Amino acid sequence: MITQQLLDTALKGLDRLGFRLDQYGITGKLNRHNLTAFIAQEQKHLEGEWDSIQVRFDRRRSQVEGVLAAFEARTDPLVKPLISRFNQLRGASGN
């Protein structure tokens, strides 16, 4: 409730300021409607930027996962015999 009162007071002040500036011929573009439109436009702009960052992040993560998968695929034939030999030795020493 208090938030709504503060918002109404701020918008009335903005309207008064816009009216006074308009009387002096400074600007006719300062009012609650233009402010709301500007805020909505900036909100959409920021949402677009966030989506762009998310896409770039997901793309990089996918590239890293692809490189890791390729690395694992290439090293697997080399490492498997070593791991099995190590496990044999470990099993033999554990008995």
Side-chain angles (χ1 to χ4, degrees):
M1 190 68 163
I2 294 173
T3 306
Q4 186 62 39
Q5 291 173 345
L6 289 173
L7 181 63
D8 287 340
T9 303
L11 289 174
K12 286 178 186 175
L14 180 67
D15 286 341
R16 265 190 243 120
L17 177 63
F19 179 73
R20 291 286 182 200
L21 289 174
D22 194 37
Q23 279 183 331
Y24 295 121
I26 296 174
T27 181
K29 295 183 179 184
L30 185 63
N31 59 41
R32 68 174 63 193
H33 305 293
N34 289 341
L35 180 65
T36 303
F38 175 75
I39 290 171
Q41 175 189 4
E42 286 303 311
Q43 179 184 5
K44 293 300 178 186
H45 176 76
L46 289 174
E47 287 174 3
E49 289 293 327
W50 178 252
D51 289 343
S52 175
I53 290 169
Q54 289 294 103
V55 166
R56 278 189 253 146
F57 178 76
D58 289 343
R59 182 173 165 236
R60 293 291 182 210
R61 182 174 32 162
S62 175
Q63 287 175 339
V64 168
E65 288 173 355
V67 166
L68 289 176
F71 180 75
E72 288 175 355
R74 289 183 180 174
T75 58
D76 198 33
L78 298 173
V79 175
K80 257 188 181 177
L82 293 174
I83 291 175
S84 74
R85 182 69 178 148
F86 178 74
N87 286 336
Q88 286 175 350
L89 292 173
R90 213 171 77 191
S93 66
N95 287 336

